[in-house]
Amino acid sequence: MDKSDFYSVLGIARDSSQDEIKKAYRKLAMKYHPDKNPDDSDSMKKMKDINEAYAVLSDPSKKQLYDTYGHRGLEGYTQEDIFSTVDFDSILKGFGLGDLFGSREGFFSGFSSRSRGNRSKNVGQGADLRYDLEIDINDVVHGLDKQIEITYKDSCLECNSTGAENGSVDSCTYCDGAGQVIAEQRSGFTVMRQVSPCLHCGGKGVQVKDRCKKCEGLGKLDVNKKINITIPAGSDDGHAIKIEGEGGAGSSRFGDLYVVVSVKEDVRFFRKGSDVYTEENVDSILAATGGSIDIEGLRGTLLMNLPQGSQNGDKVIIEESGLPEIGSSMVGRHIVILKLITPTGLNKKQLELLEQFNNI
Ligand SMILES: [Zn+2]
Ligand SMILES: [Zn+2]
């Protein structure tokens, strides 16, 4: 079955900002959420599509893959991976809608029970991180082993993540430590109760008197970590490598790291998939007679056979001398575009011979 385009599912343009993507998602989720359409299987299906589109487009590395390769670009992800980066609950909470991953059986009918089980494990998982890495054409040919350094936030042990000097905090005086405030509004016989987080303590219920000096009251510290990564040969722009457990710190487990590759443009080799193109200057007399010349290839010198009577702009194909295809033993082609050059500075003898040739 063909999958719908994620942008049309959300009804947005391809160049929409993250803010617009989020707005579009909320609007549609309000309309199709199962709490609003009980037992309506069409709405459920629609909601699942909306969720998936949002999960992909709201995550920079998945979005880039999708933008470049369409649905095919996401084949390396399990459904679980696709949804792992989105906290749907917090996005929808403001609307009083229920937990999407709750007990409503069948809502995620396309999912394995494992993915629902893992959902609860994601609580306490650190943030996923993205690391952009630029490589050159040589790295595409041979692959690349590299050590990178990432920075993530980890709990400050000095203050036990409280942000307070020695970890000593007081109850918030505005909400008495509850973290939330309740406003009551009477209208006739009805009483409206509205619960909202306490703005003074940000819902934490505690107040910091003296800030922790080590983390300056943030409760978190920047940690640098060196990680060895391997970029496979044949990588292309937007290729993302997932490194499990090397993301940000969480209370129960680390998030994942996504290394997103971009390939530097090369002045000599122009890439098209696994094929490379180069332009070669060829003496027009040699082009007329045919012959062979040495050219610079991706892996050293290549011998190019020049057919007799080659013309300016002709292409000569050298098989299996292009770029490797990722995850396969296939190698693309090196395609040479000929640029014929008329010889200059000929000596007397050479000119005489050419004139004789013209008169034959
Ligand atoms: Zn601290
Ligand atoms: Zn408070």
Side-chain angles (χ1 to χ4, degrees), residues 156 158-159 163 212 214-215 219:
C156 173
E158 194 82 14
C159 61
C212 166
K214 193 158 184 200
C215 65

Side-chain angles (χ1 to χ4, degrees), residues 172-181 198-206:
C172 171
T173 46
Y174 289 89
C175 62
D176 284 334
Q180 53 188 28
V181 285
C198 169
L199 294 176
H200 294 276
C201 60
K204 290 195 186 103
V206 290

Side-chain angles (χ1 to χ4, degrees), residues 220-233:
K220 283 175 184 247
L221 286 170
D222 279 344
V223 181
N224 294 323
K225 184 156 68 170
K226 289 192 170 79
I227 301 163
N228 294 316
I229 56 166
T230 297
I231 306 296

Side-chain angles (χ1 to χ4, degrees), residues 157-170:
L157 296 177
E158 194 82 14
C159 61
N160 204 12
S161 309
T162 57
E165 190 66 32
N166 304 320
S168 64
V169 290
D170 292 336

Side-chain angles (χ1 to χ4, degrees), residues 339-352:
K339 198 176 163 202
L340 264 49
I341 305 287
T342 308
T344 53
L346 297 176
N347 62 34
K348 209 175 160 206
K349 174 96 175 136
Q350 288 170 320
L351 283 170
E352 274 170 20

